[in-house]
Amino acid sequence: MARVLITGISGQDGAFLARQLLARGDEVWGTYRRGAERTFSRPTALGIHEQLRYALVDMAEAGNLIRTLDRIQPDAIYHLAAQSFVGDSFEQPTYTFDVNATGTARLLDAVRTVTPRARVYQASTSEMFGDVRGEAVLDEDGAFRPRSPYAISKLAAHHLVGVHRDAYGLFGCRGILFNHESELRGTEFVTRKITRAVGAVARDEPGVLALGNLDARRDWGYAPEYVDAMIRMMTQDTPDDYVIATGRAASVREFATLAFAAIGVTLAWSGRDADEVAHDAATGALRVRVDPTFWRPAEVGWLRGDASKAARQLGWTATTALESLVRRMVEHDVRTPTASSLSP
Ligand code: G4F
């Protein structure tokens, strides 16, 4: 049994990770921010809220981090806390950098000072690859050309963990995770935005789904499998870096097509750029339109990962196909109505 601290317990990955660690018999602590989600809806949805211990921590407060590590004395720290929405980082670059990059520097400094033997998992991201040339399949040696303040902040944190590993012997693992989704995904991310809208259509609610860049391609996997990869990294004898991905890229347009197909609606796409739309091929009802306000100032057009190192060294491979992931999310959002995500 280990004592584990998860920064950012209230997010999708924090909740799934906590569930898997509890199942291993670990004592699991999670940090949360004042003003952030106080109801812990995701740990509650997974039925683990009562088994977790919580600590109020802000990545902006060095003293807060030091005292928390001193009090908990974790054997392992999974550092997931972040401003994780790429779109917002263009409007809030300083905040994003402070939480994601400087916050990681504060955490690492606290670890070095208080619990130098604690293992650290860093939630690195495929966004760091950024401006991918051609349709490259990206592995741990891929070039980083970040395209957003978010990606730059995560790349800085990634390198900070590397420096602490080299300079101070930190057991630091960096998981370069490609997009990973689930029924607990935040509703601001495109996959959940789409599946919630499909749920609304299935319930005959009025409205049209408005999306940004339909051509963006992502390598989408199922989040619970990705947190399993984190644990496998952290329980190796040697810390290392791993790409975690499915190896398949699909466009936002394809994701939406699959999601509507899951409720028996075939989409017929027409038009181009800001005028592109999708109608229900059977009824002619308008289902999707483009809203340029969702276009990003700089976009990452293509992300597809090669997780063969993780397969070789961790025995990890993604097993949920995109079609199954989409169906699972749609079925959840058909069953569980939330405030409508369709614009009139
Ligand atoms: O769902 P997204 O917002 O995810 P994004 O930007 O790929 O970032 C996610 O994955 C990263 C891993 O690669 C994480 F590091 C990060 O924290 C986060 O979890 O957008 C996916 C794509 C983008 O190209 C975006 O421009 O979908 C495009 N898109 C098109 N219409 C939209 C929309 N994105 C959002 N959020 N909303 C739209 O209406």
Side-chain angles (χ1 to χ4, degrees):
M1 174 180 167
R3 188 174 302 142
V4 180
L5 178 66
I6 301 172
T7 70
I9 192 90
S10 51
Q12 165 190 267
D13 292 3
F16 282 128
L17 176 62
R19 181 174 68 176
Q20 290 198 23
L21 292 169
L22 286 169
R24 290 167 52 88
D26 291 339
E27 176 183 322
V28 182
W29 288 75
T31 73
Y32 70 96
R33 257 178 316 133
R34 179 158 310 288
E37 192 182 15
R38 295 297 306 276
T39 55
F40 303 110
S41 66
R42 291 187 178 97
T44 303
L46 296 182
I48 57 170
H49 176 51
E50 303 299 329
Q51 298 166 62
L52 298 174
R53 300 175 186 208
Y54 294 99
L56 177 67
V57 168
D58 197 310
M59 298 308 297
E61 290 283 355
N64 185 197
L65 280 164
I66 289 168
R67 287 186 295 278
T68 301
L69 294 189
D70 193 37
R71 179 161 62 97
I72 297 174
Q73 294 288 321
D75 303 303
I77 301 164
Y78 289 82
H79 179 39
L80 312 183
Q83 191 300 89
S84 64
F85 189 48
V86 176
D88 281 356
S89 78
F90 288 97
E91 284 303 315
Q92 301 179 339
T94 315
Y95 171 74
T96 301
F97 207 82
D98 190 47
V99 172
N100 297 1
T102 314
T104 302
R106 291 185 193 101
L107 175 68
L108 293 170
D109 207 32
V111 170
R112 182 182 158 205
T113 308
V114 184
T115 55
R117 279 184 299 281
R119 296 182 171 202
V120 174
Y121 172 85
Q122 170 60 22
S124 290
T125 161
S126 53
E127 273 297 302
M128 301 185 312
F129 293 117
D131 187 13
V132 177
R133 306 287 155 85
E135 296 194 343
V137 186
L138 300 150
D139 64 14
E140 294 77 7
D141 298 322
F144 295 130
R145 298 187 186 92
R147 294 268 286 168
S148 65
Y150 167 82
I152 295 167
S153 71
K154 279 292 194 174
L155 186 54
H158 180 82
H159 285 310
L160 279 165
V161 172
V163 166
H164 275 252
R165 195 161 67 192
D166 295 345
Y168 310 119
L170 173 78
F171 189 104
C173 296
R174 301 181 296 189
I176 306 172
L177 270 54
F178 283 61
N179 297 49
H180 45 288
E181 320 293 313
S182 75
E183 44 279 62
L184 297 188
R185 186 60 146 147
T187 55
E188 67 276 34
F189 298 98
V190 76
T191 56
R192 189 77 198 289
K193 180 176 171 182
I194 292 170
T195 60
R196 279 177 77 224
V198 170
V201 169
R203 292 188 298 278
D204 279 334
E205 293 172 20
V208 177
L209 170 62
L211 293 172
N213 180 6
L214 298 169
D215 290 317
R217 284 176 170 73
R218 291 289 183 276
D219 180 331
W220 278 298
Y222 184 43
E225 294 173 8
Y226 285 50
V227 302
D228 174 53
M230 296 178 193
I231 297 170
R232 289 177 190 237
M233 287 177 216
M234 288 281 274
T235 49
Q236 297 292 298
D237 292 335
T238 316
D240 208 340
D241 308 326
Y242 297 92
V243 158
I244 300 297
T246 71
R248 170 178 170 187
S251 68
V252 171
R253 189 185 296 98
E254 288 171 79
F255 192 102
T257 303
L258 287 172
F260 276 92
I263 58 162
V265 172
T266 302
L267 289 183
W269 295 90
S270 60
R272 290 171 60 86
D273 303 323
D275 296 322
E276 186 164 355
V277 289
H279 291 86
D280 182 327
T283 67
L286 178 63
R287 291 300 179 207
V288 186
R289 65 182 174 85
V290 169
D291 181 344
T293 59
F294 293 113
W295 287 345
R296 293 181 178 166
E299 177 64 289
V300 172
W302 166 269
L303 287 175
R304 180 178 166 209
D306 172 1
S308 43
K309 179 178 173 186
R312 264 193 327 273
Q313 296 188 16
L314 305 176
W316 183 93
T317 45
T319 56
T320 303
L322 180 62
E323 288 76 7
S324 311
L325 169 67
V326 173
R327 204 173 319 110
R328 180 178 198 111
M329 292 175 69
V330 168
E331 282 170 3
H332 175 271
D333 284 329
V334 169
R335 268 197 319 273
T336 320
T338 44
S340 178
S341 57
L342 290 169
S343 55

